Amino acid sequence: MAQTASDLSTDAVAVIADALNQAVAETVVTTMLAQNYHWNVTGMSFGPLHALFQEIYEDHFVGQDDLAERIRAIGAVAEGKLAGQLERSKVEEGDEGASDKEMIRHLAEAQETIGATLAGLGAVAAEHGDARTEDLAIERGRIHDKFAWILRSHLR
């Protein structure tokens, strides 16, 4: 088991960094998705959704930074171009004209996508003995699971 980032093999760093960059890309796209919906939500639920979407994008901004800093800590390069993030991400940008329910559904699906990506990251990190990255993946995954639950609750 690797005790520090410098104990990771070159191969481990490459695989873990790729998985981390995937998580960063999806978090970046979902950050903007939540901000887009925060700006453009309308209807009877405007107040609570406006606040919820802000809570999501503020959390995700910190989360993307934590993930990218972990990439740097293990000695790899964090993808910093928006075009690269969009190309890599499984989460797609949203339509600012979507209904409030479409916004909620899309953001819930994005949370679940990131959650699955983070579960994969955690497994890759564990396989290579990188407990710190595994811990970060678990922590972030818990947050995305909670946001998915909160969002899905609005649709019931």
Side-chain angles (χ1 to χ4, degrees):
M1 167 154 310
Q3 298 301 312
T4 67
S6 62
D7 293 332
L8 294 171
S9 71
T10 303
D11 290 340
V13 168
V15 173
I16 294 166
D18 185 59
L20 278 161
N21 269 307
Q22 184 66 41
V24 171
E26 291 170 9
T27 306
V28 166
V29 173
T30 304
T31 302
M32 194 61 222
L33 180 68
Q35 194 161 38
N36 174 0
Y37 291 165
H38 167 80
W39 292 332
N40 291 297
V41 67
T42 59
M44 291 299 293
S45 296
F46 168 81
L49 289 178
H50 185 74
L52 175 58
F53 296 162
Q54 181 172 350
E55 180 183 353
I56 291 170
Y57 76 70
E58 287 176 349
D59 167 81
H60 290 18
F61 186 79
V62 172
Q64 70 192 30
D65 192 53
D66 289 345
L67 291 162
E69 287 179 353
R70 184 63 190 160
I71 294 168
R72 297 299 297 142
I74 65 171
V77 175
E79 170 65 60
K81 296 178 185 167
L82 291 176
Q85 308 285 358
L86 285 167
E87 184 177 318
R88 180 185 281 264
S89 178
K90 295 176 201 157
V91 176
E92 296 184 9
E93 292 183 290
D95 177 10
E96 59 273 353
S99 71
D100 56 353
K101 287 188 182 205
E102 291 168 331
M103 290 175 177
I104 294 166
R105 187 173 293 107
H106 191 184
L107 269 174
E109 290 168 358
Q111 298 302 319
E112 291 165 353
T113 298
I114 298 169
T117 294
L118 288 164
L121 167 62
V124 165
E127 179 182 329
H128 292 282
D130 183 359
R132 289 183 180 97
T133 298
E134 181 183 13
D135 183 59
L136 177 59
I138 291 167
E139 177 188 343
R140 290 300 311 160
R142 218 175 28 251
I143 291 166
H144 292 286
D145 284 351
K146 183 176 179 181
F147 279 131
W149 159 64
I150 291 168
L151 288 159
R152 290 267 182 229
S153 293
H154 282 83
L155 298 173
R156 293 194 171 105

